[in-house]
Amino acid sequence: MIIGVPKEVKNNENRVSAVPGIVQELVADGHTVYVEKGAGLGSGINDSEYAEAGAIILDTAAEVWEKAELIYKVKEPLESEYKYFKEGQLIYTYLHLAAEPHLTKALVDKKVTGIAFETVRVGRGLPLLRPMSEVAGRMAVQEGVRFLTKPHGGKGLLIQGVPGVKVGKVVIVGAGIAGTAAASAAVGLGANVTLLDVNIDRLTELSNQFGRDIETLYSTKLNIANSVKDADLVISTVLIPGAKAPKLITKEMVASMEDGSVIVDVAIDQGGSTEHTEGRPTTHDEPIFVEDGVLHYSVANIPGAVPITSSYALCNATSRYIKIIANLGLEKAIERFPELEGGVNTHAGAVTYKAVAEDLGFDYVALKDIL
Ligand SMILES: NC(=O)c1ccc[n+]([C@@H]2O[C@H](COP(=O)([O-])OP(=O)(O)OC[C@H]3O[C@@H](n4cnc5c(N)ncnc54)[C@H](O)[C@@H]3O)[C@@H](O)[C@H]2O)c1
C-alpha cells in the first residue's frame, strides 16, 4: 500500500504519526511510505532518519496527500487540508467528529474512509486514545499549576503548600485514563485530591490504589457543584466514547469558584465538558480565556506540547493497526481484527459511527452494509 505521513498543521502541533522504526517495518513489508519534508522535526526526527528507514521525502503536503492511498496522521484534518481528500482514500488519525461537523461533511462528501484512533475499542479500553490521555492527564496538572501562579493570571497559589500552610484542592471529574494520570500527578505534588466518576468499579480501584491520598465521589450534579465550589484547580476528563462530552460544569458552578482558580477541560476535543468551554477550544499560543474570574484552559492538543514523548507513545500504540490495514486491506483487517470496525467513522459517503451520526444529525449507516 502507499502510505503518506504529512506534517501536522494544527497550532503548535509538533507530533508526527510515524517514527522511523515503524517506517522501516512498513517498508520491509513491501509498502511505500512518503513523508512530508520536516514532518518529524518538531519531535526531534530529521528527514535523513526517515530516508535511512526507507521513506521517500516529498517537499509538500499536496504531493503526500495526492500519492497516498492511506494517510497516517495525528490530529484531525484542518479545513486547509480538506482540499486534498480524494474518493476512496483512507485516513487513519484522531478525528473527534462529534465536535467537527464541517470535517464530517467533507469526509462524507469526498467519500473518504475516516478511521478514528479514539473509537477503536478493545474490551472496555480505547488503546489508541490511552497513550495521549496518559500524557494529557499529567500535563493538565502541570499546566493547571502554572496558571494558578500570579504571573500567569491565577490566584497565586502553590498547590502543594509548605509546612504550616494549607495545600491546594484539585477536583478531577472523570476517573479514566486521563483522570487517573492527573490524580497520580496531583497526589505526587501533595495536593488535596477529589475524583468523581459514575463508574463505581473504577472509583473502587482508585480508592484501593491511592488509599487516603484521594477522596472519591459518585458523580452527580450536586457532588460536582459542592466539590468545585472550593477547588483551586478543576480538571475534567469525562468521556462517553465517540459522543459529545456532557456539560457537567455549569456556568453557575464556575460563578461559585474563587477568582483566579483554574479549570482545565481535557475533554475539549469531544466538544468540551463545561458550559463555558463549549465550542471554545484554545491553542498553545493562547491557552486561556477568563469567565467569571476563573481561568479556562481548553487546549485540544495538549500532548502536542511534548512531542518527543507523545510521538513515540502514540506511534507505539497506533502502529499495530497501520501495519494490519496496510498488509491486509481494510475489509480483511476488520474481519481478522473486529475492533477496527469501531474505528471507522465514515466510509463511502456515509457516517458509520452511531454516536457521531446522532450528535451531528447525519443518517447512520452500518459499516457492514456498505463495506
Ligand atoms: N485535550 C487533549 O489534548 C486530550 C488529549 C488526550 C485525551 N483527551 C480527551 O480526554 C478525555 C478522556 O479520555 P480518557 O482516555 O481518560 O477516557 P476514559 O474513557 O478512560 O475515561 C473517561 C471517564 O469519564 C467517566 N465519565 C463518563 N460520564 C461521566 C460523568 N457524568 N461524570 C463523571 N465521569 C464520567 C467514565 O466513566 C470514564 O471513567 C477524552 O475526551 C479524550 O479525547 C484530550
Side-chain angles (χ1 to χ4, degrees):
M1 210 176 257
I2 301 172
I3 299 162
V5 177
K7 187 170 159 55
E8 294 297 318
V9 291
K10 204 172 176 119
N11 181 287
N12 270 288
E13 183 49 81
N14 290 300
R15 284 173 289 178
V16 63
S17 59
V19 299
I22 294 307
V23 168
Q24 193 177 46
E25 290 182 12
L26 288 166
V27 171
D29 281 347
H31 306 295
T32 303
V33 182
Y34 291 108
V35 175
E36 184 181 344
K37 191 169 143 193
L41 284 180
S43 301
I45 306 168
N46 293 319
D47 291 342
S48 59
E49 293 174 69
Y50 283 116
E52 273 166 36
I56 299 165
I57 311 296
L58 294 176
D59 280 339
T60 63
E63 291 168 275
V64 174
W65 282 86
E66 210 271 311
K67 286 183 188 296
E69 299 163 84
L70 169 57
I71 289 284
Y72 187 20
K73 261 180 69 58
V74 176
K75 284 309 282 181
E76 72 281 354
L78 299 189
E79 209 152 336
S80 60
E81 297 174 303
Y82 299 175
K83 60 179 177 289
Y84 302 135
F85 292 173
K86 52 181 192 180
E87 186 168 340
Q89 195 167 42
L90 308 176
I91 304 182
Y92 176 58
T93 188
Y94 285 119
L95 285 172
H96 301 290
L97 292 184
E100 293 284 345
H102 297 303
L103 171 58
T104 308
K105 185 172 180 320
L107 293 170
V108 166
D109 286 351
K110 294 277 183 78
K111 300 196 167 124
V112 168
T113 301
I115 309 163
F117 294 162
E118 73 276 7
T119 59
V120 173
R121 246 180 204 273
V122 177
R124 287 181 51 213
L126 301 164
L128 310 187
L129 185 60
R130 184 182 185 117
M132 294 304 95
S133 295
E134 296 272 12
V135 173
R138 286 165 173 79
M139 286 283 291
V141 174
Q142 193 169 309
E143 292 290 81
V145 298
R146 178 161 76 103
F147 285 103
L148 273 173
T149 63
K150 268 289 185 216
H152 286 102
K155 60 169 73 168
L157 176 93
L158 181 65
I159 202 97
Q160 56 268 65
V162 290
V165 181
K166 79 176 173 104
V167 300
K169 178 176 175 186
V170 179
V171 170
I172 301 167
V173 187
I177 303 301
T180 304
S184 174
V187 166
L189 284 176
N192 173 344
V193 180
T194 301
L195 262 169
L196 298 103
D197 203 298
V198 285
N199 181 338
I200 302 281
D201 290 343
R202 189 71 196 135
L203 292 180
T204 307
E205 278 166 26
L206 293 178
S207 192
N208 291 337
Q209 180 181 337
F210 290 105
R212 287 171 188 272
D213 286 338
I214 59 164
E215 176 183 41
T216 57
L217 281 176
Y218 187 72
S219 175
T220 60
K221 192 169 178 185
L222 186 63
N223 277 343
I224 295 175
N226 285 338
S227 307
V228 158
K229 198 160 50 189
D230 60 348
D232 300 296
L233 171 59
V234 175
I235 297 172
S236 176
T237 67
V238 295
L239 175 65
I240 298 165
K244 266 198 159 168
K247 308 289 167 257
L248 298 180
I249 299 163
T250 63
K251 292 180 180 172
E252 212 181 340
M253 292 178 195
V254 174
S256 75
M257 295 172 71
E258 239 178 46
D259 283 0
S261 303
V262 177
I263 298 178
V264 177
D265 191 357
V266 180
I268 188 66
D269 52 358
Q270 291 295 135
S273 54
T274 89
E275 286 182 348
H276 282 306
T277 52
E278 177 166 25
R280 288 177 81 177
T282 59
T283 62
H284 287 293
D285 277 348
E286 278 187 55
I288 292 286
F289 65 85
V290 180
E291 286 289 350
D292 256 323
V294 174
L295 285 73
H296 290 70
Y297 177 102
S298 55
V299 174
N301 60 333
I302 299 171
V306 286
I308 292 176
T309 306
S310 300
S311 293
Y312 284 91
L314 183 60
C315 191
N316 288 346
T318 59
S319 60
R320 169 177 160 79
Y321 293 109
I322 191 101
K323 283 189 246 167
I324 289 170
I325 297 168
N327 288 342
L328 300 176
L330 184 63
E331 209 174 328
K332 281 219 176 80
I334 289 176
E335 254 170 55
R336 295 264 303 275
F337 301 89
E339 67 269 27
L340 260 178
E341 185 175 350
V344 180
N345 280 223
T346 63
H347 180 69
V351 175
T352 51
Y353 197 87
K354 209 171 194 166
V356 170
E358 282 170 4
D359 275 346
L360 300 183
F362 282 83
D363 288 334
Y364 164 70
V365 178
L367 182 64
K368 62 177 168 29
D369 294 338
I370 49 173
L371 195 62

